[in-house]
Amino acid sequence: MGSSGKRGDTGRVSIPMVLWGALIAVVSVVAFVVMDPILAAFLVILLVTGAVIAVLARNWDQHSTFEEREAIRARKRGEKWERNAAARDRDRARWEAHQARQAGGPSADQ
C-alpha cells in the first residue's frame, strides 16, 4: 500500500460485487444440476466472462490524462539529469583534456 495511504488503481471489493459473485455461483450450480452439462458450461462461461468484463470495466474512465503522465515522465527525466550531472562534468573534462592532447601534435601520442 505505501506510506501515502493510496491504493493506486485498485479498489476495495464492494458488497454489491460480492453479491453478484454469489448470485453467479448459485446460478452456475443450479445450471449444472438442472441442465445438460454442455449447456450449463456454456451458460457458466458466459456469466463468468460477463462478470470479469464488468469488474474490469467498473473504473474504465478513472485514469490519468496524457498530460499528467507526461508531467510525471518529465519530472523523472529532470531528476535523472540532475543525478548524472557529475558524470557529465567528468566526461566533459576528459573530452577537453583529450582535445588538448590532440591539439598538441602527433608527437604527444607517440
Side-chain angles (χ1 to χ4, degrees), residues 47-83:
L47 284 173
V48 170
T49 302
V52 168
I53 290 171
V55 167
L56 293 176
R58 75 183 186 275
N59 59 356
W60 183 258
D61 58 345
Q62 299 172 357
H63 53 79
S64 59
T65 64
F66 175 77
E67 289 79 14
E68 290 169 339
R69 292 189 303 271
E70 281 301 310
I72 291 170
R73 289 184 190 111
R75 181 183 49 80
K76 288 181 180 179
R77 282 191 303 267
E79 290 171 357
K80 185 177 178 183
W81 180 262
E82 291 301 318
R83 275 196 316 268

Side-chain angles (χ1 to χ4, degrees), residues 1 6 9 13 22 26 30 32-33 47 51 72 74-75 80-81 88 92 96 102 104:
M1 190 150 71
K6 291 185 177 184
D9 291 336
V13 177
V26 168
V30 169
F32 275 103
V33 170
L47 284 173
I72 291 170
R75 181 183 49 80
K80 185 177 178 183
W81 180 262
R88 285 193 312 276
R92 186 175 303 110
E96 290 170 355
Q102 292 293 322

Side-chain angles (χ1 to χ4, degrees), residues 6-7 12 22 26-28 34 37 41 43 47 51 53 67 98 100-101 103 105-106:
K6 291 185 177 184
R7 295 177 58 105
R12 294 185 337 168
V26 168
V27 168
S28 300
V34 175
L43 178 67
L47 284 173
I53 290 171
E67 289 79 14
H98 172 73
R101 283 193 306 272

